[in-house]
Amino acid sequence: IFYSVVSIIFYIFVKRVLIMPINKIKIGIQKFGEGDYTYHIPITTKDEFEEIANSFKDMSKKLIKLNQYYEHHAVELEKKFL
């Protein structure tokens, strides 16, 4: 029984510390790949997983700005040449 309890506790620990953040990152990457740059990965673990989530948030913000820049300039070019 002792080993069963230890195994269950270990599984819960691994799930909370590793599996759940990895799954959240996976969902975020899928959303990002679909073009949803506004999705933010909800991780507040104060570790490397949170750093990855924050890096994706920063990258998303930069891509949104870059897309806006290109859209603006495409409109300006259309005005000039059409």
Side-chain angles (χ1 to χ4, degrees):
I1 288 201
F2 174 75
Y3 292 113
S4 297
V5 172
V6 170
S7 295
I8 291 170
I9 291 171
F10 181 72
Y11 171 76
I12 292 169
F13 173 77
V14 168
K15 184 174 180 181
R16 290 195 77 212
V17 173
L18 293 175
I19 296 172
M20 289 175 64
I22 289 172
N23 283 335
K24 288 179 181 181
I25 290 170
K26 184 179 93 172
I27 291 168
I29 290 170
Q30 288 170 339
K31 299 268 188 188
F32 192 84
E34 294 167 358
D36 183 359
Y37 303 132
T38 60
Y39 182 81
H40 298 296
I41 302 170
I43 295 179
T44 56
T45 54
K46 308 287 187 241
D47 60 9
E48 289 82 3
F49 290 120
E50 186 173 355
E51 288 179 29
I52 292 170
N54 289 335
S55 293
F56 266 95
K57 184 179 4 175
D58 294 341
M59 184 170 50
S60 295
K61 288 178 183 178
K62 290 176 184 175
L63 281 172
I64 289 170
K65 286 182 182 180
L66 189 61
N67 281 339
Q68 290 170 345
Y69 172 82
Y70 284 130
E71 287 174 6
H72 172 74
H73 286 287
V75 169
E76 293 300 316
L77 284 172
E78 283 180 8
K79 288 179 186 177
K80 279 186 178 180
F81 294 106
L82 294 179

